[in-house]
């Protein structure tokens, strides 16, 4: 029986927020745009994963087996603790509980076909379990969320290695932009984009997700099943 997902902190304590929607930004790192042979556009690319996409990245998570390649997209995740509706960037920080790491799992072949057909991406990015996520680190412990190293290793090999300072749209700015379209509620999660290094995952892959901010480092280990 599948376990129901609940937001937790790094000490294993359940947080007092429901599992909400996941609001994502695409194309927020230039190197990732380049690796997919895409182009930078002036308008932000936002999309949503339902709360049924959320699952714990530790100790393991499942990927679809019959839908073609399922790619990793490592992202800094932001947990919202207060409502945000049509706010400016200077109002955002007070509504952030903390930060974590997430995988924006993407069925790449499915996504490519949907793009060609001019259709939305939900089948490629919003399926059950499409957002494995770590426990959250309180914002008081993340000294530099906009200058944090984000690393994903797959079978002890570095696959993604980026820094949040390279975001095209900074965290608070992109959350403020999101709030112009979608009211963000306590328990919602914002994904802030992925650096280069996306690639297919396979059964039994061993993953380590690492975030380093200032002198502190947190790691989360997982196995693909």
């Amino acid at each position: 029986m599948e376990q129901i997902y609940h937001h937790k902190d790094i000490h294993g304590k359940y947080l007092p927020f429901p599992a909400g929607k996941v609001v994502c930004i695409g194309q927020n790192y230039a190197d990732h745009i380049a690796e997919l042979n895409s182009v930078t556009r002036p308008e932000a690319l936002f999309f949503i994963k339902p709360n049924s996409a959320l699952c714990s990245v530790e100790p393991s998570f499942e990927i679809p087996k019959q839908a073609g390649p399922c790619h990793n997209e490592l992202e800094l995740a932001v947990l919202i603790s207060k409502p945000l509706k049509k706010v400016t960037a200077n109002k955002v920080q007070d509504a952030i509980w903390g930060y974590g790491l997430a995988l924006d799992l993407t069925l790449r072949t499915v996504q490519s076909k949907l793009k060609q057909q001019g259709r939305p991406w939900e089948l490629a990015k919003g399926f059950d379990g499409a957002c494995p996520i770590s426990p959250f680190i309180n914002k008081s412990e993340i000294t530099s969320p906009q200058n944090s190293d984000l690393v994903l290793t797959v079978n002890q090999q570095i696959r993604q290695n980026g820094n949040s300072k390279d975001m095209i749209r900074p965290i608070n700015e992109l959350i403020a932009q999101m709030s112009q379209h979608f009211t963000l509620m306590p328990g919602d999660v914002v994904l802030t984009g992925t650096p280069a290094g996306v690639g297919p995952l396979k059964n039994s892959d061993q993953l380590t997700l690492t975030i380093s901010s200032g002198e502190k480092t947190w790691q989360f280990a997982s196995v693909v099943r």
Side-chain angles (χ1 to χ4, degrees), residues 32 35 72-75 103 150-154 157-162 194-199:
H32 175 59
E35 75 175 344
N72 57 267
E73 293 194 11
L74 179 70
E75 310 209 8
L103 293 174
L150 313 172
V151 180
L152 172 69
T153 66
V154 180
Q157 300 295 315
I158 293 177
R159 181 172 289 188
Q160 291 188 267
N161 187 359
T194 191
V198 304

Side-chain angles (χ1 to χ4, degrees), residues 34-147:
E35 75 175 344
L36 292 186
N37 297 314
S38 190
V39 294
T40 303
R41 301 186 187 278
E43 306 86 4
L45 173 60
F46 296 139
F47 60 96
I48 290 178
K49 293 175 181 267
N51 63 358
S52 54
L54 286 165
C55 65
S56 296
V57 74
E58 297 179 313
S60 65
F61 62 90
E62 187 174 4
I63 59 175
K65 300 298 191 292
Q66 307 297 327
C70 183
H71 280 204
N72 57 267
E73 293 194 11
L74 179 70
E75 310 209 8
L76 180 69
V78 184
L79 179 61
I80 302 300
S81 61
K82 297 179 182 178
L84 291 172
K85 182 180 178 67
K86 298 186 184 301
V87 298
T88 54
N90 63 346
K91 300 291 186 181
V92 169
Q93 192 62 28
D94 186 53
I96 292 175
W97 188 91
Y99 305 89
L101 291 173
L103 293 174
D104 170 17
L105 296 183
T106 304
L107 298 173
R108 193 65 71 196
T109 300
V110 175
Q111 184 191 35
S112 296
K113 290 180 179 177
L114 292 169
K115 284 182 177 180
Q116 292 170 3
Q117 296 168 353
R119 294 185 174 186
W121 298 356
E122 279 83 357
L123 294 179
K125 285 182 170 284
F127 54 89
D128 287 356
C131 189
I133 198 164
S134 75
F136 286 94
I137 307 155
N138 188 266
K139 65 183 178 183
S140 64
E141 299 188 60
I142 300 282
T143 56
S144 303
Q146 202 61 74
N147 186 15

Side-chain angles (χ1 to χ4, degrees), residues 165-183:
K165 72 177 185 297
D166 295 325
M167 291 178 184
I168 295 170
R169 288 177 172 81
I171 298 166
N172 289 5
E173 178 185 318
L174 72 88
I175 292 176
Q177 288 186 31
M178 286 175 173
S179 80
Q180 307 307 307
H181 309 281
F182 316 107
T183 299

Side-chain angles (χ1 to χ4, degrees), residues 13-39:
K13 180 181 178 181
Y14 287 117
L15 297 174
F17 312 113
K21 61 185 177 293
V22 184
V23 187
C24 313
I25 184 170
Q27 302 180 339
N28 203 30
Y29 286 82
D31 57 359
H32 175 59
I33 294 171
E35 75 175 344
L36 292 186
N37 297 314
S38 190
V39 294

